[in-house]
Amino acid sequence: MNLFVNKVYRLILLVCLFVSLLSCTPYQKPLTIGAAPWPNFEFAFLANELGYLNKNQYSLLELTSSTSVIQAFQTGKLDVAFLSLDQVLTLVALGLDLKIISVVDNSYGGDALMAKPEIKSLQDLKWSAIGYENKAAGALLLDEVFNLTGLNNQTVQLHEVKQNEIKGAYLQNNIDALIVREPVKQQLLALGARELINSKSLSLPITNVMVARGDIYQEKEGQIANFVRQFYRAHMFYKKNTEDALTAMSVRLQLYPYFLKQAFLNTRFIDSKQSLMRLSGSPSNIQLQAERLSKLMSEKHMLGQIHTDLSSLITTRILERAIYE
């Protein structure tokens, strides 16, 4: 009798183990998605707050800085990430396999060089201390400042300051100017900072995209496509219910809604069908932009050698499913 009971018990354990293994299939394992603070990235978190995303299938992480997002994606902690195009090229040069799955927006003044009130022009920056995040689009804006003024890293002091450290750095006496992104830019304006130059001055736009890891994007295609669909659905909610959406996002970001509203004005959102057009074609619009940006960054010694055909970084399949299914 005891032998029979033991066999039954073992059989039950095997069944439970089998069911447990089934529950860890790629689709059911939560998709990890990460972003640093930026106005249009907030629609991912708004989708989550509105209940558009199944909490068992999606895990959203708002990381403190662009550098943190890059590191998390690089180490495989994120399946999907929101990055600027220059950051994508940096990862590709490091040998990472990824796919651009959507084009989110362009910065239209959302990246800026902010200075203490007594600094009235770019030329006044000589011998000043400038803080910026080296692994972000701020490096492109800093290079533009150097081009316009003739300044260089010998005539200014450069300090690595991540996005979450900017407000504190501004309030200290050892930093004279900072390259910042929205919505932090609005906080510095409220503190009296002077805006000297912004991303409107760049010859190539700072474009933000959504990327997926190359080793999982096909395996989790349906799951990723649904996330993209709900991201754009949250944007539609924002368009129709702007004040409610701003309030919800501002509470999470611990900002005044007015600050966030102003921050959105310094971006140009790209809707899903426009994004699909940017990704489509041979060569696609985003491929051509990536090639121009890669050339510029290489000339400025900001980028290592890329051995990958940039067309292979782009897929329209996920966005097509998000739009048409």
Side-chain angles (χ1 to χ4, degrees):
M1 184 67 177
N2 286 338
L3 183 60
F4 175 77
V5 170
N6 285 339
K7 285 182 178 179
V8 171
Y9 181 71
R10 288 177 184 174
L11 181 60
I12 292 171
L13 283 178
L14 286 171
V15 170
C16 290
L17 179 60
F18 180 71
V19 170
S20 176
L21 288 171
L22 283 178
S23 69
C24 295
T25 57
Y27 188 85
Q28 291 179 338
K29 184 180 177 182
L31 189 78
T32 55
I33 302 146
W38 174 255
N40 291 315
F41 297 170
E42 284 302 309
F43 299 126
F45 301 93
L46 180 62
N48 198 42
E49 290 186 26
L50 292 171
Y52 295 170
L53 299 173
N54 185 322
K55 295 186 185 300
N56 294 322
Q57 292 183 8
Y58 300 96
S59 175
L60 273 69
L61 302 172
E62 183 159 58
L63 301 170
T64 56
S65 67
S66 298
T67 301
S68 300
V69 177
I70 290 172
Q71 290 172 345
F73 192 76
Q74 194 173 0
T75 56
K77 293 179 181 177
L78 298 176
D79 299 318
V80 173
F82 290 82
L83 298 169
S84 58
L85 189 56
D86 60 289
Q87 293 166 352
V88 171
L89 293 174
T90 299
L91 288 173
V92 172
L94 292 172
L96 260 75
D97 181 20
L98 56 80
K99 295 290 181 183
I100 298 173
I101 59 174
S102 186
V103 185
V104 177
D105 69 7
N106 287 330
S107 174
Y108 193 72
D111 295 79
L113 175 63
M114 311 294 291
K116 295 290 179 68
E118 59 270 21
I119 297 175
K120 295 180 171 56
S121 72
L122 291 175
Q123 293 294 343
D124 292 340
L125 290 170
K126 191 172 184 179
W127 313 123
S128 296
I130 300 176
Y132 78 115
E133 191 167 5
N134 190 36
K135 290 188 176 69
L140 295 172
L141 197 56
L142 179 64
D143 182 69
E144 183 67 11
V145 171
F146 288 170
N147 288 336
L148 292 172
T149 61
L151 298 173
N152 54 48
N153 54 13
Q154 304 300 315
T155 53
V156 297
Q157 301 171 42
L158 298 178
H159 299 268
E160 174 83 11
V161 179
K162 295 183 176 64
Q163 198 165 349
N164 59 308
E165 302 167 343
I166 285 172
K167 187 177 176 182
Y170 178 81
L171 294 171
Q172 295 173 6
N173 293 325
N174 60 330
I175 295 288
D176 302 299
L178 290 146
I179 291 179
V180 308
R181 304 198 86 196
E182 293 288 13
V184 179
K185 174 182 166 181
Q186 297 303 318
Q187 294 179 306
L188 293 198
L189 285 170
L191 290 171
R194 186 189 299 274
E195 183 174 352
L196 298 181
I197 190 174
N198 62 43
S199 49
K200 293 178 189 177
S201 301
L202 296 175
S203 58
L204 285 173
I206 295 174
T207 298
N208 297 300
V209 299
M210 207 184 302
V211 300
R213 279 186 18 229
D215 59 338
I216 60 95
Y217 90 97
Q218 288 180 311
E219 180 184 316
K220 297 190 176 186
E221 186 179 285
Q223 197 174 0
I224 298 171
N226 183 59
F227 166 72
V228 174
R229 185 181 303 115
Q230 303 313 325
F231 171 82
Y232 286 107
R233 182 183 173 193
H235 176 254
M236 289 302 299
F237 177 89
Y238 164 77
K239 288 181 68 176
K240 294 177 181 177
N241 307 276
T242 302
E243 296 306 317
D244 290 342
L246 283 172
T247 299
M249 291 186 286
S250 297
V251 168
R252 205 185 63 76
L253 289 169
Q254 298 183 337
L255 280 175
Y256 291 115
Y258 173 77
F259 284 177
L260 189 55
K261 186 175 183 179
Q262 292 301 114
F264 273 114
L265 296 177
N266 292 318
T267 73
R268 292 294 181 267
F269 188 80
I270 299 169
D271 68 31
S272 58
K273 291 187 177 179
Q274 289 175 321
S275 176
L276 185 57
M277 289 178 64
R278 295 281 302 272
L279 295 176
S280 301
S282 183
S284 66
N285 174 279
I286 200 68
Q287 179 190 338
L288 292 173
Q289 184 179 341
E291 288 172 352
R292 291 194 298 270
L293 183 57
S294 174
K295 181 181 178 182
L296 173 66
M297 292 176 70
S298 296
E299 289 172 351
K300 302 293 184 181
H301 306 290
M302 298 179 184
L303 188 66
Q305 187 70 30
I306 291 181
H307 300 286
T308 304
D309 181 354
L310 293 181
S311 65
S312 67
L313 305 180
I314 299 160
T315 179
T316 60
R317 174 65 181 164
I318 286 172
L319 196 50
E320 287 169 346
R321 289 191 63 173
I323 295 170
Y324 298 114
E325 287 187 3

